[in-house]
């Protein structure tokens, strides 16, 4: 069990003012350890993945919702204290907190099992403080038990990179044994590709990074290159936040193929040519966060498959360097912050 610091304070990073990462938008602070509310858990952070969404928030691609918010939504934590209505958890439990932090539970989207579309949804590291910190508070109704035997730094990326990749793969409607194109090969893509291969898919990766190409082939991809897949695709997932890749991905789809766009942020999409990009019942879909059922289903599948997680460890005190490396393309796999 992680002991509470005697000072009653914890170290954390906050987005002081959104700006290009080179301008240093993250600042280290010291703040009081929060008390968990009725449905909340106080976690001692054991590891926190660094997601491209954290970069979008730091740089202002996503407008801030909470001043001086602490990023980080791939949190592996140890339960230190629980609110009076946080049932099912005891001190010392290891849990995971992900991007979806809360929903209203009453709107038509929530009632239909599509809580990821709830207009009142809240997100970890955007609406509430996240895991770039020694301690954080999370809603117990939105956390996940984690598979035993999985190291903290391997479990952390599963909580967003893995879950969002899972939902994107479901949205792509890949037929059994079909050909999947993966555009961009970072944290989420390197997990999703393994999931697709395990399901019997033929995976073709498009990425400019030679290191990422080698990793893709090591993880079972049929091809990996900087431009166009060597065959027509049944489905594709766009992980890179580059709208210019949308026409290229659509052009590589076979008849009836589906493109799922996995990112929360995307640069402008160029004009599409109906005949080349959309005719013959090609489909474009976005991916909006995830439901808790997505999280449970993916973590159960990951517990069976045990995907290889290419984790690059950074001390928690170097969160700014981890984001800078992510921005410059110097992370092959996924960056993970670990406390002292």
């Amino acid at each position: 069990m992680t002991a509470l610091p005697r000072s009653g304070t914890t170290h954390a990073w906050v987005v002081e003012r959104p700006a290009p990462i080179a301008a240093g938008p993250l600042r280290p602070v010291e703040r009081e350890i929060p008390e968990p509310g009725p449905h909340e858990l106080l976690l001692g952070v054991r590891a926190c993945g660094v997601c491209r969404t954290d970069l979008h928030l730091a740089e202002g691609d996503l407008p801030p919702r909470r001043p001086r918010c602490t990023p980080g939504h791939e949190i592996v934590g140890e339960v230190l204290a629980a609110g009076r209505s946080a049932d099912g958890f005891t001190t010392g439990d290891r849990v995971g907190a992900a991007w979806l932090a809360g929903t209203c539970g009453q709107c038509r989207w929530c009632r239909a099992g599509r809580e990821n579309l709830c207009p009142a949804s809240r997100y970890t590291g955007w609406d509430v403080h996240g895991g770039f910190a020694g301690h954080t508070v999370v809603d117990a109704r939105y956390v996940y038990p984690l598979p035993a035997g999985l190291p903290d730094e391997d479990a952390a990326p599963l909580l967003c990179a893995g879950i969002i990749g899972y939902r994107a793969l479901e949205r792509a409607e890949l037929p059994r044994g079909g050909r999947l194109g993966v555009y961009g090969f970072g944290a989420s893509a390197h997990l999703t590709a393994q999931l697709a291969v395990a399901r019997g898919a033929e995976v073709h990766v498009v990425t400019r990074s030679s290191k990422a190409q080698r990793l893709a082939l090591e993880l079972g991809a049929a091809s990996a290159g900087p431009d166009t897949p060597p065959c027509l695709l049944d489905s594709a997932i766009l992980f890179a936040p580059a709208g210019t890749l949308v026409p290229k991905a659509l052009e590589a789809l076979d008849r009836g193929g589906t493109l799922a766009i996995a990112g929360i942020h995307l640069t402008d999409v160029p004009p599409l040519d109906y005949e080349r990009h959309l005719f013959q019942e090609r489909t474009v879909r976005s991916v909006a966060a995830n439901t808790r059922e997505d999280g449970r289903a993916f973590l159960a599948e990951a517990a069976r498959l045990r995907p290889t997680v290419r984790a690059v460890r950074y001390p928690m005190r170097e969160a700014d360097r981890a984001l800078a490396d992510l921005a410059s393309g110097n992370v092959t796999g996924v960056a993970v912050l670990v406390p002292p």
Side-chain angles (χ1 to χ4, degrees):
M1 172 180 170
T2 303
L4 291 175
R6 292 181 181 178
S7 65
T9 63
T10 190
H11 297 289
W13 289 89
V14 299
V15 178
E16 188 71 41
R17 185 178 295 105
I21 203 67
L26 257 61
R27 292 284 185 273
V29 299
E30 189 91 4
R31 64 169 175 241
E32 294 293 320
I33 295 174
E35 290 286 335
H39 290 284
E40 293 179 334
L41 302 172
L42 172 64
L43 302 184
V45 176
R46 295 169 54 145
C48 186
V50 180
C51 178
R52 186 161 290 275
T53 301
D54 299 317
L55 182 61
H56 292 317
L57 290 164
E59 295 197 314
D61 296 324
L62 298 177
R65 291 186 176 180
R66 176 174 183 164
R68 306 184 84 229
C69 192
T70 295
H73 54 273
E74 297 177 333
I75 306 167
V76 175
E78 179 179 342
V79 176
L80 302 179
R84 64 178 181 273
S85 300
D87 299 326
F89 298 94
T90 60
T91 301
D93 284 350
R94 189 179 74 142
V95 299
W99 176 235
L100 187 66
T103 57
C104 75
Q106 299 179 8
C107 69
R108 68 188 182 103
W109 306 108
C110 288
R111 294 197 308 271
R114 304 178 72 186
E115 63 184 2
N116 60 308
L117 300 180
C118 173
S121 55
R122 299 182 301 136
Y123 299 98
T124 311
W126 195 9
D127 297 289
V128 298
H129 288 314
F132 286 19
H135 301 80
T136 195
V137 162
V138 297
D139 190 323
R141 296 166 293 185
Y142 291 82
V143 302
Y144 304 96
L146 295 175
L150 193 64
D152 295 336
E153 60 267 28
D154 289 353
L158 303 182
L159 294 162
C160 179
I163 294 172
I164 293 298
Y166 170 89
R167 184 168 184 86
L169 185 58
E170 295 295 297
R171 294 279 290 164
E173 293 191 338
L174 179 67
R176 185 179 296 275
R179 293 171 172 170
L180 174 70
V182 173
Y183 289 78
F185 203 71
S188 191
H190 96 288
L191 294 170
T192 309
Q194 293 178 72
L195 186 61
V197 169
R199 291 180 176 184
E202 181 182 304
V203 176
H204 299 273
V205 173
V206 177
T207 175
R208 293 176 297 180
S209 166
S210 57
K211 290 182 179 179
Q213 290 170 23
R214 289 194 295 271
L215 177 59
L217 295 173
E218 289 174 16
L219 297 178
S223 75
D227 196 8
T228 305
C231 56
L232 289 176
L233 306 169
D234 298 300
S235 303
I237 304 174
L238 176 58
F239 288 103
T244 53
L245 291 176
V246 171
K248 294 181 179 181
L250 286 170
E251 207 165 338
L253 287 179
D254 207 343
R255 297 173 179 227
T258 299
L259 168 65
I261 301 173
I264 192 172
H265 169 76
L266 190 72
T267 58
D268 290 344
V269 178
L272 300 177
D273 179 274
Y274 179 69
E275 184 72 28
R276 289 170 57 199
H277 301 130
L278 295 172
F279 190 51
Q280 300 295 354
E281 299 194 350
R282 296 181 182 91
T283 301
V284 184
R285 288 178 154 185
S286 65
V287 178
N290 63 275
T291 65
R292 282 171 286 180
E293 182 54 37
D294 290 330
R296 288 187 285 265
F298 169 70
L299 289 172
E301 194 162 353
R304 294 192 302 270
L305 297 177
R306 295 291 171 143
T308 297
V309 179
R310 188 61 61 91
V312 183
R313 293 165 57 101
Y314 292 81
M316 185 67 75
R317 65 179 181 275
E318 296 183 9
D320 52 351
R321 182 169 71 88
L323 274 185
D325 285 351
L326 183 63
S328 60
N330 288 328
V331 176
T332 301
V334 58
V336 180
L337 302 177
V338 291

